[in-house]
Amino acid sequence: MTDQDAAPDGGLTAEEQAVLEEIEERNIDFIRLQFTDILGTVKNVSIPASQAEKAFTEGIYFDGSSIEGFVRIQESDMRLDPDASTFAELPWRRSENGSAARFICDVIDTATGEAFTGDPRHVLKRAIARAEEMGYTLNAGPEPEFFVFEKDENGAATTTTHDAGGYFDLAPKDMASDLRRQIIYFLEEMDFEVEASHHEVAQGQHEIDFKYADALTTADNIATFRSVVRATAELHDLHATFMPKPIAGINGSGMHTHLSLFDETGENAFHDDDDEFNLSGTAKSFLAGVLEHAPAITAVCNPNVNSYKRLVPGYEAPVYVAWSDVNRSALVRKPAARVPAASRIELRSPDPSCNPYLALAVMLHAGLEGIERGLEAPDPVRENIYEFDEAMRAEYGIETLPGSLGEAVAALEADEVVTDALGEHITEKFVQAKSQEATAYRAEQVSQWELDRYLETF
């Protein structure tokens, strides 16, 4: 926001006034004020469009004690401040009688009047501010994958895939091409620039890639993307899920994330024409920071028990802490770049169930820590690491990502850089929630695999 756009004495900014006019022109009658809880679930409060101006000038109050990981009952009053730049009409809710729109909001602690430390969007903003102090802007480009399943006669989700297609298949095997087309239409109406879409490796699995953007916009876009995909599937009486591994024995869903830093002159700080890999010293130090903190990052980027059913060798998911410029078995890949502005690194471990604000925040802090300390990246591994035995991995100094949610949470608690990135409030609530989840899984679940293997044997 420029000084000229600043709101005088609590009034409306020029952008907010323009949005109010657009609400009237589009015949918007209801507005969803969206925010994200610590676990990455999108929440919303709906208000009549007539209250939009009040939302801008005064905010909308809500009970924070009802939201996972926010506050205790005795300190429950919170406020939503809508970000005018995130205004978007919801295309699937359009009708002659009126339409719905949404704003993404920042959560304010009413006791202090400051940003709530438990708001994931605020956590990412703090990371962005650290980057700006160092002279950098983070751009990120995600590749979210998802499954589409049939519903049963009661409307409940099944694991029966909607199609029998495979990687890059066409109809008639890829029966979801029309569904993807409608998702893309909706995304474009919400100002996404969709770059590609295709059927993924597994039956019923799909990927839609949208253009990279600055970190905050990308996190907002990921949250929006998940909502659009699921809403569109519902229109077709289908269920879309971003669960990392809904079906055993086939590929799970990842969210490979491309990262690059740009300096204050607008140049890509990751590019170096003279380097063998076209990566600058800044890029390699950033990469080294990500590798050093990878175990703790995993707790945030792979945040549930099911995530670790995906992170196993043999299904294209990375489990080895290394980087490469030629193969996809490493945790970090350096993709080919046609122009200097496209030089970047690709972190391949995140899955689409993660909280995008927290995920990008910990990636950014880890990379910036690498730059500040001048860390040196190890040599790239050009062989297929999946074919290495334990001795070979030890020779190369290749460690393995945590094998369970419990291991990942322990790595998170031991990593001061990542816990500082999350802040004390979110670290405490996140660790508490995920420790309970890991314990419940161990204590309460007996799988069919265990019954088949052991019931009659012992």
Side-chain angles (χ1 to χ4, degrees):
M1 184 185 299
T2 65
D3 291 339
Q4 290 83 357
D5 291 334
D9 300 324
L12 295 172
T13 67
E15 184 176 30
E16 290 167 348
Q17 184 61 53
V19 168
L20 291 180
E21 293 170 4
E22 190 171 357
I23 288 172
E24 187 171 354
E25 291 170 2
R26 289 175 177 250
N27 192 29
I28 304 293
D29 57 357
F30 276 92
I31 294 173
R32 295 179 183 178
L33 303 181
Q34 295 184 354
F35 60 102
T36 303
D37 71 11
I38 288 175
L39 302 184
T41 304
V42 173
K43 304 291 185 178
N44 77 93
V45 174
S46 185
I47 62 172
S50 59
Q51 297 296 303
E53 182 172 350
K54 177 183 176 182
F56 281 138
T57 57
E58 302 177 25
I60 298 296
Y61 290 77
F62 73 102
D63 179 6
S65 66
S66 300
I67 305 301
E68 179 71 43
F70 267 32
V71 293
R72 296 167 297 183
I73 190 69
Q74 67 266 32
E75 50 190 27
S76 59
D77 285 341
M78 312 293 285
R79 190 178 82 231
L80 295 176
D81 281 1
D83 182 341
S85 69
T86 66
F87 170 78
E89 185 177 354
L90 304 178
W92 60 92
R93 296 299 305 274
R94 188 178 293 133
S95 72
E96 294 181 359
N97 298 324
S99 300
R102 75 93 208 268
F103 292 105
I104 296 174
C105 299
D106 295 306
V107 182
I108 305 300
D109 185 341
T110 57
T112 64
E114 303 293 330
F116 173 46
T117 57
D119 177 13
R121 202 167 189 254
H122 170 66
V123 169
L124 180 54
K125 285 186 172 182
R126 283 199 300 109
I128 292 168
R130 179 184 178 188
E132 289 176 346
E133 289 175 1
M134 296 173 62
Y136 299 117
T137 297
L138 175 70
N139 282 338
E143 298 177 355
E145 298 169 344
F146 58 95
F147 279 86
V148 178
F149 293 122
E150 302 281 355
K151 292 184 177 182
D152 65 18
E153 61 276 11
N154 298 316
T158 71
T159 53
T160 302
T161 58
H162 176 238
D163 67 86
Y167 196 56
F168 275 46
D169 272 353
L170 297 171
K173 283 189 174 182
D174 180 9
M175 300 299 294
S177 57
D178 289 342
L179 173 64
R180 288 202 306 272
R181 184 182 301 113
Q182 187 168 18
I183 291 170
I184 291 169
Y185 287 158
F186 285 161
L187 290 171
E188 289 178 338
E189 287 194 59
M190 298 180 77
D191 292 330
F192 277 66
E193 184 176 338
V194 176
E195 296 188 324
S197 75
H198 60 85
H199 200 289
E200 259 298 337
V201 174
Q203 294 182 7
Q205 188 183 35
H206 309 276
E207 178 176 314
I208 298 175
D209 301 331
F210 44 90
K211 188 176 181 181
Y212 73 88
D214 66 273
L216 186 62
T217 300
T218 294
D220 286 342
N221 284 346
I222 293 169
T224 298
F225 176 81
R226 295 192 300 210
S227 297
V228 172
V229 168
R230 299 193 68 169
T232 310
E234 287 292 332
L235 294 177
H236 292 257
D237 199 28
L238 297 167
H239 178 74
T241 181
F242 293 92
M243 181 180 177
K245 187 85 166 185
I247 303 176
I250 65 174
N251 285 25
S253 290
M255 190 177 72
H256 304 160
T257 303
H258 297 252
L259 305 167
S260 58
L261 292 180
F262 281 69
D263 64 24
E264 293 170 314
T265 68
E267 296 296 319
N268 188 345
F270 275 13
H271 183 77
D272 183 350
D273 278 328
D274 297 326
D275 180 70
E276 177 183 1
F277 310 106
N278 292 133
L279 288 177
S280 66
T282 297
K284 290 179 180 178
S285 290
F286 187 100
L287 189 160
V290 170
L291 292 180
E292 180 169 302
H293 298 284
I297 289 173
T298 302
V300 179
C301 291
N302 307 91
N304 58 67
V305 164
N306 183 253
S307 297
Y308 298 85
K309 302 294 180 69
R310 166 181 170 260
L311 291 180
V312 294
Y315 295 98
E316 298 190 6
V319 294
Y320 300 119
V321 183
W323 75 281
S324 178
D325 62 319
V326 294
N327 76 74
R328 288 170 164 80
S329 64
L331 177 65
V332 176
R333 185 174 75 96
K334 196 283 177 184
R338 294 183 299 274
V339 294
S343 288
R344 63 201 186 277
I345 62 171
E346 175 192 16
L347 183 62
R348 296 177 57 78
S349 58
D351 70 53
S353 71
C354 70
N355 184 320
Y357 301 98
L358 300 184
L360 286 173
V362 297
M363 292 179 210
L364 180 53
H365 274 286
L368 294 176
E369 182 76 8
I371 294 172
E372 286 189 331
R373 291 169 53 198
L375 295 181
E376 294 187 8
D379 292 334
V381 180
R382 291 181 159 176
E383 298 91 342
N384 184 351
I385 307 174
Y386 294 144
E387 298 177 354
F388 286 11
D389 58 20
E390 187 173 347
M392 182 70 78
R393 291 197 299 272
E395 181 181 332
Y396 276 73
I398 298 173
E399 297 183 356
T400 304
L401 291 179
S404 69
L405 180 60
E407 290 179 21
V409 170
L412 170 65
E413 290 184 280
D415 192 312
E416 290 186 5
V417 170
V418 175
T419 55
D420 286 348
L422 296 176
E424 183 177 350
H425 180 97
I426 285 186
T427 295
E428 177 189 348
K429 300 299 183 182
F430 186 88
V431 167
Q432 181 182 62
K434 293 305 166 181
S435 297
Q436 289 174 351
E437 181 180 339
T439 299
Y441 177 71
R442 290 198 309 272
E444 300 172 13
Q445 295 298 316
V446 177
S447 68
Q448 187 62 46
W449 184 91
E450 293 169 278
L451 294 174
D452 292 342
R453 191 174 184 93
Y454 303 127
L455 186 60
E456 295 185 4
T457 303
F458 299 104

